[in-house]
Amino acid sequence: MKLFHAILALAVGAMFAVAPARAVDLSIVSGDTGSGIKVLREILDQYEKQSRNKVNIVVMPPSTTDQFGQYKLWLAAGNTDIDVYQTDVIWAPQLASQLVDLTAATKDVVAKHFPSIIQSQTVDGKLVALPIFTDAPALYYRKDLLDKYGAKVPTTWKELADTAKLVMDKERAAGNKDMWGFVFQGNAYEGLTCDALEWVMSSGGGQIIEPDGTVSINNPKAAAALDMVKGWIGTISPPGVLAYQEEESRGVWQTGNAVFMRNWPYAYALGNGADAPIKGKFDVAPLPAGTGEGARPVATLGGWNLAVSKYSKNPDAAIDMVKFIASPEMQKYRTLRTSNLPTIQALYDDADIAKEQPIIPRWKEVFLNAAPRPSAAVKIKYNEASSQFWTAVHKTLSGEGAAADNLADLEVTLTKLKGSGW
């Protein structure tokens, strides 16, 4: 905690421009998992001290699908009550017309961020959101259990399924009837698009919709990948996984009842919390690859950003707040508390982070396997395209039709949605 306090003291004493002459009230809307809202509040408390502004957090459900739907309603209504939106990396093209262009206001800081992330938030030459942390999921594994049974960290999905079953069966035979082999995000929402993109793309089945706009999802490799996952339900994965989002997966994992988990970096710090049953018993590795031609590890690129509403009554103060939260000092603070991945390149070589969160420098290997969802190709139609994809995947995993049939129907639906072009 001394380290956190020292960072905050430096941040308050040394950074950012002079606070506005008149204090204002601001609102930021955010949905998050784990301790994200708590840490955001801690950061905003520091902002309030140095700016004299007051900031209210409007808390959203953790589902990104629910968040996006509400954001669209508020922005369409010209809502002046929300000044700043916390946005997913894929939303920039869809919301850009109702967000403030931050290009001029952030020209002194953008060079510190990964260029690819800045580019992802740039629409028609306008920077519409400033990144605060990036995301790429990994395979969490119980190193104590793998060691116990002489098993290796899997590098393919087949190895994962075989190892998961081996360890699960042995643990259940030893009396742990609640043990499962693998938990992930199987609910019908944007998170399933992320998981399923990894299964399909890592098996050589394409990117759902390719960068040139071609609908590619209806192919044998994609169907085989979904059939593979369907076989996990009720065997190595609990039937309830079809309703899991990130926190439900983490709940099973963190209580010690799963051998493997697919999840984002935030789960690392929580799993090593003082009261966590799995503290010190797990590690992470890149997600497995499929088999055959074109197979490789794939992790869906995530990440969160801050955007200023075009309808804010105090845009200058809102921009000031965004720059504070996205600053190197506050990204470092967030990383130390939550293990979220910073978007500031220099922080991956920071000694304090390497000491407190040693996984962060190692996450570079995971980040190198990151692949974007097809939001850039699909543009404003992405939300509908993703919804159609996760629906087809969920139907398949639930036993409602064969993967090949569901993907053939999906191709027809996406082709109609595309029309004359995305």
Side-chain angles (χ1 to χ4, degrees):
M1 291 304 294
K2 290 181 179 179
L3 178 60
F4 300 144
H5 293 155
I7 291 169
L8 291 176
L10 286 172
V12 173
M15 72 178 176
F16 304 108
V18 176
R22 181 179 62 85
V24 300
D25 292 332
L26 298 169
S27 286
I28 179 172
V29 61
S30 174
D32 213 334
T33 49
S35 59
I37 294 295
K38 177 177 180 291
V39 173
L40 176 60
R41 182 68 263 171
E42 293 169 4
I43 291 172
L44 291 174
D45 287 347
Q46 301 309 309
Y47 171 72
E48 290 183 345
K49 289 179 182 178
Q50 73 91 33
S51 70
R52 296 186 293 122
N53 296 331
K54 296 295 181 184
V55 187
N56 174 55
I57 301 176
V58 180
V59 179
M60 296 292 293
S63 167
T64 55
T65 303
D66 293 341
Q67 292 170 36
F68 183 77
Q70 185 60 64
Y71 284 16
K72 287 206 302 182
L73 290 174
W74 277 331
L75 289 166
N79 188 336
T80 60
D81 294 332
I82 305 296
D83 300 284
V84 174
Y85 289 86
Q86 183 166 308
T87 61
D88 196 335
V89 67
I90 59 173
W91 295 344
Q94 301 172 80
L95 302 179
S97 64
Q98 293 167 309
L99 303 175
V100 171
D101 180 6
L102 302 176
T103 305
T106 60
K107 61 183 179 182
D108 57 329
V109 299
V110 290
K112 298 176 182 178
H113 298 262
F114 286 109
S116 60
I117 299 176
I118 292 295
Q119 186 59 39
S120 75
Q121 300 307 295
T122 302
V123 180
D124 296 330
K126 300 176 181 179
L127 182 67
V128 297
L130 194 62
I132 54 173
F133 64 91
T134 189
D135 250 349
L139 179 68
Y140 287 72
Y141 65 92
R142 284 286 298 276
K143 59 184 181 181
D144 61 327
L145 295 180
L146 296 194
D147 289 344
K148 181 178 179 180
Y149 298 110
K152 296 180 179 179
V153 179
T155 59
T156 68
W157 291 115
K158 184 180 185 308
E159 289 176 359
L160 179 142
D162 291 344
T163 305
K165 189 172 191 313
L166 169 73
V167 177
M168 180 185 78
D169 288 348
K170 287 185 176 295
E171 283 294 293
R172 288 188 173 190
N176 187 354
K177 302 299 184 183
D178 295 325
M179 178 62 73
W180 286 97
F182 183 43
V183 290
F184 55 90
Q185 294 75 52
N187 201 347
Y189 77 121
E190 182 65 26
L192 182 54
T193 289
C194 295
D195 287 49
L197 174 63
E198 292 156 4
W199 304 326
V200 169
M201 200 169 178
S202 70
S203 302
Q207 203 168 340
I208 310 168
I209 299 165
E210 301 306 313
D212 66 359
T214 302
V215 177
S216 63
I217 187 59
N218 183 22
N219 66 80
K221 290 183 178 179
L226 297 187
D227 282 334
M228 169 188 71
V229 178
K230 180 180 177 181
W232 298 343
I233 310 302
T235 56
I236 62 169
S237 301
V241 77
L242 294 175
Y244 285 9
Q245 297 184 19
E246 284 80 1
E247 285 293 84
E248 289 81 10
S249 302
R250 184 176 69 85
V252 175
W253 162 261
Q254 195 164 311
T255 53
N257 291 321
V259 184
F260 297 107
M261 173 181 71
R262 181 267 186 206
N263 217 325
W264 305 92
Y266 86 97
Y268 186 86
L270 294 170
N272 275 319
D275 59 347
I278 59 171
K279 175 180 171 62
K281 298 179 180 179
F282 70 93
D283 208 338
V284 298
L287 290 168
T291 54
E293 185 179 355
R296 65 179 180 88
V298 173
T300 301
L301 179 65
W304 289 87
N305 315 272
L306 294 179
V308 177
S309 170
K310 191 170 73 173
Y311 310 107
S312 170
K313 295 178 181 178
N314 298 289
D316 291 340
I319 292 172
D320 178 69
M321 179 176 68
V322 165
K323 292 180 72 174
F324 184 99
I325 299 170
S327 69
E329 292 85 351
M330 290 299 101
Q331 285 211 18
K332 178 175 179 176
Y333 180 82
R334 183 192 296 273
T335 298
L336 290 169
R337 296 300 303 271
T338 66
S339 66
N340 287 137
L341 303 179
T343 67
I344 305 290
Q345 298 185 61
L347 292 179
Y348 285 83
D349 299 315
D350 184 275
D352 295 329
I353 290 176
K355 180 181 178 181
E356 296 289 325
Q357 297 287 5
I359 195 62
I360 297 299
R362 290 174 49 207
W363 217 283
K364 279 185 177 180
E365 183 182 1
V366 175
F367 197 65
L368 288 173
N369 297 322
R373 284 160 279 178
S375 57
V378 181
K379 301 174 184 174
I380 62 172
K381 297 179 182 178
Y382 173 78
N383 194 55
E384 177 62 21
S386 180
S387 175
Q388 294 295 338
F389 175 63
W390 83 57
T391 298
V393 173
H394 196 268
K395 285 177 62 178
T396 301
L397 302 189
S398 302
E400 298 177 35
D405 294 336
N406 288 336
L407 293 186
D409 291 343
L410 176 62
E411 180 183 35
V412 172
T413 301
L414 292 179
T415 300
K416 288 180 180 178
L417 180 63
K418 177 181 180 181
S420 59
W422 296 113

